[in-house]
Amino acid sequence: MKQKELAEYIKNQSKKLKMQKIGSLQIVFKDEFVGDLDYEKVFKTINFMLPDHFLDLIDIVYVGQFDLFKDGDYNAAYENGAVYVTNEQDDQADLIDDLIHEIAHAVEEAYDHEIYSDEMIQKNFLAKRRKIKVILDHEGYNIANIDFSNPYYSEDMDIFLRDEVGYEALHNLIPGLFLAPYSISSLREYFARGFEEFYLGKPVNLDKTCPYIYKKLLRLHENSE
């Protein structure tokens, strides 16, 4: 279900759909969460964890099954002020992770100039890309048709990392370079994974591995007043 179709669906079904506001977040349930998931606790945690000026970037959170999830190997998305999450979650931690990751994309979009204008994060990302390229070449992977100098999303890069190399193999090759295999795929995902580490992991680890993301997020977080 595309965004325009979803908006029309919400309008027509508004009296039937469950809607709930938890803290700063307005939630619309196209489908109820599956299983015994304390989603209210999850959304309260998100409200407590993130500063208001980040939460204000999210107009609405849609919960359910959506066509956009069928086109890729993911179960959450951010688009035009809306976060979409599947109603099929492994547990509360999985839902928190999905929400934080998509809010990271909203923050990146809203604060693009503050994050990227000095080009330090991009330069750091591409330097690490060059290193992983050498490592993968040394490991015998065919990198001839993969452009490691493009910081933006590339389907060729995505398929290569996921299917040809595999995230499990990558996990053993990236310590000290990337926080997770998927963060190699694009500058956008590199930032989002850093955002996750800042709020859900260990900020000191982010500072060590991705210092420029850490410094930007620290500044953005503290500018909440």
Side-chain angles (χ1 to χ4, degrees):
M1 185 174 290
K2 304 302 181 182
Q3 190 175 38
K4 288 184 179 179
E5 295 173 348
L6 179 60
E8 187 64 26
Y9 176 84
I10 296 296
K11 179 180 179 181
N12 294 334
Q13 300 292 321
S14 59
K15 293 183 179 180
K16 301 178 183 178
L17 292 175
K18 178 180 177 181
M19 300 184 186
Q20 186 173 356
K21 188 167 185 179
I22 301 178
S24 299
L25 297 172
Q26 179 68 47
I27 308 151
V28 173
F29 294 85
K30 176 178 173 288
D31 305 295
E32 292 277 2
F33 282 111
V34 175
D36 186 22
L37 180 73
D38 189 351
Y39 70 86
E40 292 189 357
K41 182 176 181 180
V42 168
F43 282 100
K44 287 177 182 177
T45 298
I46 296 294
N47 275 275
F48 175 78
M49 189 179 298
L50 298 181
D52 290 341
H53 62 296
F54 286 176
L55 294 171
D56 289 343
L57 300 173
I58 307 302
D59 298 324
I60 198 163
V61 178
Y62 293 112
V63 176
Q65 292 297 309
F66 304 103
D67 289 345
L68 56 88
F69 296 153
K70 298 176 183 178
D71 299 329
D73 186 25
Y74 53 89
N75 55 14
Y78 168 77
E79 184 178 348
N80 298 329
V83 170
Y84 302 82
V85 292
T86 178
N87 62 320
E88 297 180 352
Q89 298 285 336
D90 292 337
D91 50 33
Q92 290 174 199
D94 188 36
L95 178 56
I96 290 175
D97 183 75
D98 282 349
L99 290 167
I100 290 291
H101 188 89
E102 300 312 323
I103 292 172
H105 290 314
V107 170
E108 180 193 32
E109 181 179 272
Y111 295 95
D112 178 83
H113 181 76
E114 291 88 336
I115 294 168
Y116 295 123
S117 62
D118 62 5
E119 299 186 349
M120 295 307 298
I121 293 178
Q122 180 169 314
K123 288 178 181 178
N124 184 242
F125 172 71
L126 291 177
K128 292 182 179 187
R129 272 276 196 85
R130 290 191 291 271
K131 290 181 180 179
I132 198 66
K133 177 182 178 181
V134 172
I135 292 172
L136 291 172
D137 186 41
H138 178 74
E139 292 292 321
Y141 293 100
N142 182 9
I143 62 172
N145 297 318
I146 307 300
D147 185 4
F148 285 80
S149 65
N150 174 21
Y152 306 108
Y153 176 80
S154 160
E155 187 175 8
D156 289 339
M157 173 67 79
D158 195 15
I159 293 173
F160 172 73
L161 295 174
R162 185 187 67 229
D163 299 337
E164 293 190 38
V165 182
Y167 291 154
E168 185 175 349
L170 280 168
H171 184 77
N172 297 321
L173 300 174
I174 62 172
L177 285 176
F178 294 92
L179 293 168
Y182 191 59
S183 62
I184 307 171
S185 63
S186 70
L187 180 63
R188 189 169 181 257
E189 295 303 333
Y190 181 64
F191 174 81
R193 182 58 185 83
F195 190 95
E196 286 184 64
E197 191 69 22
F198 188 88
Y199 287 103
L200 297 176
K202 298 178 179 178
V204 66
N205 188 38
L206 176 63
D207 189 20
K208 181 179 179 181
T209 307
C210 311
Y212 298 107
I213 294 179
Y214 173 78
K215 291 174 183 176
K216 296 287 186 177
L217 286 176
L218 189 63
R219 189 175 301 119
L220 289 173
H221 179 89
E222 291 176 345
N223 285 343
S224 59
E225 293 80 9

